[in-house]
Amino acid sequence: MKNLNVTIHECDYSNVDDLKNVGRMINSYIEDEMGGGTPLIQIQTLQLVNALNEHPKSIVLLAEIENNCCGLLIAFENISTFTVSPMLNIHDVIVSKEYRKKGVGRSLMESLVTIAQSRGCSRITLEVREDNLAAQQLYKSMEFGESDPPMLYWRKYLK
């Protein structure tokens, strides 16, 4: 399928459309089979965009095709203690179903790589569901791979 002209920009927290698009994209991800959750209510969406805006090292990228928001990437800068340099961790990559396989995810990822390089980052990390083969294919094509040695993703719920 032919890739369409994708434009990427960082979220402008003073732009109401950007804020609505962040909330809409997060909810589309939550409702997707890969998210499997309950959508955020309006107050939670407001809390989320406020928290992202206030986080000193968040990166929120929005993708558009023909003025339609169709993708979102959220990442956070941290410090690698091993390389003593900045690193980025991708928290979410979201592409609307109707825009998948059209270069949106790749455009978001390429924009983040450019940001990471401009910040002198030593690496970009991410997690991906074992059953999300489409995402894995994209990440592998961009030279992401399992860590060496392989790592496990663990969590402890506090709420």
Side-chain angles (χ1 to χ4, degrees):
M1 188 169 288
K2 184 180 179 199
N3 289 355
L4 301 173
N5 186 27
V6 181
T7 59
I8 307 294
H9 70 274
E10 289 197 50
C11 179
D12 176 356
Y13 292 97
S14 67
N15 182 316
V16 173
D17 289 334
D18 277 5
L19 301 181
K20 286 179 182 177
N21 285 327
V22 169
R24 185 176 60 77
M25 293 303 303
I26 286 290
N27 276 334
S28 73
Y29 179 48
I30 292 171
E31 293 176 312
D32 188 88
E33 61 209 32
M34 291 296 160
T38 303
L40 302 178
I41 60 173
Q42 186 173 9
I43 189 71
Q44 290 172 312
T45 302
L46 294 172
Q47 290 168 337
L48 171 64
V49 294
N50 187 54
L52 290 169
N53 183 32
E54 290 181 355
H55 193 289
K57 297 291 186 167
S58 68
I59 300 167
V60 179
L61 302 177
L62 292 159
E64 291 183 352
I65 295 177
E66 298 173 356
N67 295 318
N68 293 312
C69 182
C70 56
L72 172 71
L73 186 148
I74 299 174
F76 298 95
E77 183 178 319
N78 209 330
I79 299 294
S80 167
T81 54
F82 283 35
T83 63
V84 193
S85 60
M87 61 175 279
L88 295 183
N89 177 260
I90 298 172
H91 194 272
D92 298 300
V93 178
I94 305 160
V95 177
S96 298
K97 279 187 181 185
E98 61 271 24
Y99 289 96
R100 292 178 185 164
K101 304 282 187 192
K102 296 183 180 182
V104 176
R106 179 172 300 280
S107 294
L108 285 164
M109 297 288 292
E110 288 172 348
S111 293
L112 188 70
V113 168
T114 299
I115 290 169
Q117 290 169 330
S118 73
R119 293 182 180 198
C121 292
S122 61
R123 66 177 177 242
I124 300 172
T125 61
L126 58 82
E127 63 192 60
V128 61
R129 282 178 51 145
E130 190 173 30
D131 61 344
N132 192 344
L133 301 179
Q136 289 178 38
Q137 183 179 12
L138 169 63
Y139 303 148
K140 286 177 185 176
S141 76
M142 296 188 69
E143 300 179 357
F144 282 80
E146 272 193 57
S147 61
D148 184 20
M151 301 287 183
L152 299 175
Y153 175 73
W154 290 20
R155 69 175 94 177
K156 175 181 178 175
Y157 289 105
L158 301 174
K159 289 186 185 185

